[in-house]
Amino acid sequence: MPHFNAAAALHFCVLLSAFPAQYFISQWYRTDAAQRIRITERLIIASWSSFTKSYLSLDAWADRLKLSLSNTRTCLNVGLFILHFRNWYCGEKKTKTGDNEGETHSYFAESTHVRSPKPGYVRFSVGQVIVHKRLGYSGVIVGWDVTAKAPEEWLQHRYPPAKQDLKDTPHYRILINKVDGFGKSTAYIPEEEITLTMGLQVVHHPDMKTYFSGYSGSKYIMQPWLKRIYPHD
């Protein structure tokens, strides 16, 4: 089967257009001068009539205007639909993202709400260096909650029925000392599992400067933003 491409199609169209052209030329030269004049007059009249109907008629321009307005309205409607859809989608996405961030940051002592007044039963403070009683790693406190704030699935896994009462005790967020080689960088643990270290204790963790500006000799000094959250620690 021969290959039919664009060039072949163009060649075919030129050949087709040659037939009416040849017919017109043959008709033109087969007539005398008077007939050629009448044919020319008819062609001019027909062309002028078509031109007046297309471009000098109010009805024709009215139809063009209606079509143009219809196309414009269609484009506007499509544009408005796209705009509304984009705003809706971005708004939904932003809302969902904001909700997720809010839920995440309210867990594990990461909420930024001010802990004031500080309950007397919260024994430890942000900046103090602690040791885990059972696992033996050391770390520094960077936040606390008066009770455990975590996803329900995490709480169920962390506290079996025999330890459910621990959920209602103070919980602390800890930056774990890297030199202890524990394998985790942070922990969220109940108060009963930690105790304070004695004397100077240096904690090595990549986030230390985010939370603290230095060491006072007994505890780490909170950065201003952290001090605003824990004003009594």
Side-chain angles (χ1 to χ4, degrees), residues 49-68:
S49 176
S50 176
F51 175 80
T52 55
K53 290 179 180 179
S54 299
Y55 298 100
L56 300 183
S57 169
L58 293 177
D59 292 337
W61 282 106
D63 291 339
R64 286 192 179 87
L65 182 60
K66 291 178 181 178
L67 180 61
S68 176

Side-chain angles (χ1 to χ4, degrees), residues 2 12 37 61 115 143:
F12 181 72
I37 291 173
W61 282 106
R115 311 305 203 272

Side-chain angles (χ1 to χ4, degrees), residues 115 117-126 128 141 143-147 168-172 191 194 230 232-233:
R115 311 305 203 272
K118 181 179 182 179
Y121 56 85
V122 179
R123 294 172 51 200
F124 304 123
S125 301
V126 174
Q128 288 182 318
I141 299 172
W144 51 261
D145 293 317
V146 293
T147 60
D168 298 324
T169 63
H171 277 61
Y172 298 84
E191 188 173 87
I194 62 176
Y230 301 94
H232 307 297
D233 281 24

Side-chain angles (χ1 to χ4, degrees), residues 49-107:
S49 176
S50 176
F51 175 80
T52 55
K53 290 179 180 179
S54 299
Y55 298 100
L56 300 183
S57 169
L58 293 177
D59 292 337
W61 282 106
D63 291 339
R64 286 192 179 87
L65 182 60
K66 291 178 181 178
L67 180 61
S68 176
L69 291 176
S70 176
N71 292 337
T72 301
R73 283 195 297 269
T74 301
C75 292
L76 287 174
N77 290 336
V78 172
L80 288 173
F81 172 78
I82 294 173
L83 180 62
H84 288 318
F85 177 80
R86 187 195 67 178
N87 290 340
W88 170 81
Y89 176 78
C90 293
E92 287 290 312
K93 186 176 181 181
K94 183 176 180 181
T95 301
K96 291 179 181 178
T97 301
D99 291 344
N100 291 337
E101 288 177 353
E103 291 177 359
T104 301
H105 292 169
S106 67
Y107 295 149

Side-chain angles (χ1 to χ4, degrees), residues 135-227:
L135 300 177
Y137 65 77
S138 62
V140 59
I141 299 172
V142 294
W144 51 261
D145 293 317
V146 293
T147 60
K149 299 291 192 303
E152 188 60 33
E153 296 82 1
W154 186 91
L155 292 172
Q156 291 177 1
H157 176 75
R158 181 69 171 78
Y159 299 114
K163 293 186 176 181
Q164 285 292 304
D165 57 328
L166 287 178
K167 295 192 300 184
D168 298 324
T169 63
H171 277 61
Y172 298 84
R173 181 173 179 82
I174 310 297
L175 296 185
I176 298 175
N177 199 345
K178 287 294 185 181
V179 299
D180 293 337
F182 184 66
K184 292 176 60 178
S185 61
T186 62
Y188 187 65
I189 48 183
E191 188 173 87
E192 74 161 24
E193 294 184 359
I194 62 176
T195 185
L196 294 179
T197 60
M198 302 301 295
L200 176 64
Q201 176 69 46
V202 178
V203 176
H204 297 279
H205 193 283
D207 294 336
M208 287 295 290
K209 290 185 178 180
T210 301
Y211 293 94
F212 307 108
S213 60
Y215 188 74
S216 68
S218 60
K219 62 183 295 188
Y220 282 92
I221 302 169
M222 288 183 281
Q223 293 283 9
W225 69 268
L226 191 58
K227 184 65 178 177

